[in-house]
Amino acid sequence: MPEPAPTTSPDPASDTPADATTPADASAPADAADTAATAPREAGGARPPRSAATRAAILAAARDRFAAEGYERATIRAIAKEAGIDPSMVMRYYGNKAGLFAAASEIEVHAPDLTHVPHDELGARLVRHFLERWESDETMTGMMRVGVTNDAGAQRMRKVFAEQIEPVLSAVCPVPEEAELRSGLIASQVLGMALCRYVLHIPPAVALSHDEVVAWLAPTIQRYLMADLP
């Protein structure tokens, strides 16, 4: 379905960063026309609805700009230019820069339930899970880039860690009061490999197969999670 024409509003294309005080609900459709545009197509329609493709282009461009310039310096105009659309479309979908950042930095790590995993397999299970997540969802790599280049991205990454990863590890930590420390040590290994493999593209890290990454990292993750403190 053709993209609905944007409504007339104050020019959002200014290089002054958009208002960041009232985040938009990034999950809500922009309007009724978008709801129709994103409705499932009949069988055989291989191309995604145009509005879905537009949103994907906006979010990809936003992650690039936020990573390259930081939250404060990135502008709606630059993001729209990279996405190949009019700046008013960015505003129509996400309201303002705060709403766009919230949508672009949304991460779901789908951390596995480890309570039924044999204790001697916990390290391998975690490493393999995060390898699969990073290689199936480009948002993970995008947010890693944002997280190491500006404070807003780093804060978002810390929130993901605290809300999605630490509770899963705490459930199997043998000493509950040590869970936070052990989780931080595990994050240093998992995020370190992700940075080298998917962001910096360090050749030896990129060249490793999944089984090789697991073989190298799992024993360290296992020790951080289960071994006695030094």
Side-chain angles (χ1 to χ4, degrees):
M1 170 177 288
E3 188 73 54
T7 55
T8 302
S9 58
D11 181 16
S14 169
D15 281 330
T16 302
D19 175 26
T21 59
T22 54
D25 181 357
S27 64
D31 53 27
D34 276 336
T35 302
T38 57
R41 291 189 173 192
E42 295 180 1
R47 191 174 61 181
R50 185 178 175 187
S51 62
T54 300
R55 288 175 185 271
I58 293 170
L59 294 179
R63 293 182 192 110
D64 286 346
R65 290 297 90 209
F66 288 135
E69 300 175 356
Y71 178 82
E72 295 299 331
R73 294 181 60 193
T75 64
I76 295 295
R77 179 189 291 276
I79 291 168
K81 182 178 180 180
E82 186 164 329
I85 62 170
D86 189 272
S88 64
M89 295 301 295
V90 179
M91 301 295 284
R92 187 170 70 83
Y93 282 128
Y94 299 105
N96 55 28
K97 190 166 69 170
L100 176 58
F101 181 79
S105 61
E106 188 66 33
I107 299 176
E108 179 54 65
V109 300
H110 301 294
D113 179 1
L114 300 176
T115 57
H116 302 297
V117 176
H119 281 188
D120 60 350
E121 298 177 13
L122 290 170
R125 179 73 180 88
L126 280 169
V127 174
R128 197 170 295 279
H129 171 78
F130 281 106
L131 279 172
E132 292 169 354
R133 285 294 297 124
W134 244 286
E135 294 183 8
S136 65
D137 185 356
E138 63 181 16
T139 304
M140 301 280 285
T141 298
M143 276 311 299
M144 169 69 76
R145 293 172 58 206
V146 174
V148 299
T149 56
N150 70 86
D151 290 340
Q155 183 177 6
R156 189 71 169 181
M157 292 290 286
R158 288 193 293 269
K159 182 177 180 181
V160 169
F161 174 79
E163 294 180 353
Q164 299 186 40
I165 300 175
E166 189 174 327
V168 171
L169 299 179
S170 297
V172 294
C173 183
V175 184
E177 56 267 29
E178 297 172 359
E180 184 176 3
L181 169 62
R182 292 175 182 270
S183 297
L185 291 170
I186 289 170
S188 73
Q189 295 296 308
V190 172
L191 296 180
M193 174 55 77
L195 181 66
C196 292
R197 185 176 173 93
Y198 304 118
V199 178
L200 301 179
H201 301 293
I202 294 177
V206 174
L208 292 171
S209 68
H210 280 203
D211 288 343
E212 288 172 326
V213 175
V214 171
W216 279 104
L217 286 192
T220 300
I221 301 298
Q222 186 75 24
R223 179 169 64 86
Y224 282 162
L225 185 58
M226 304 301 292
D228 293 335
L229 291 179

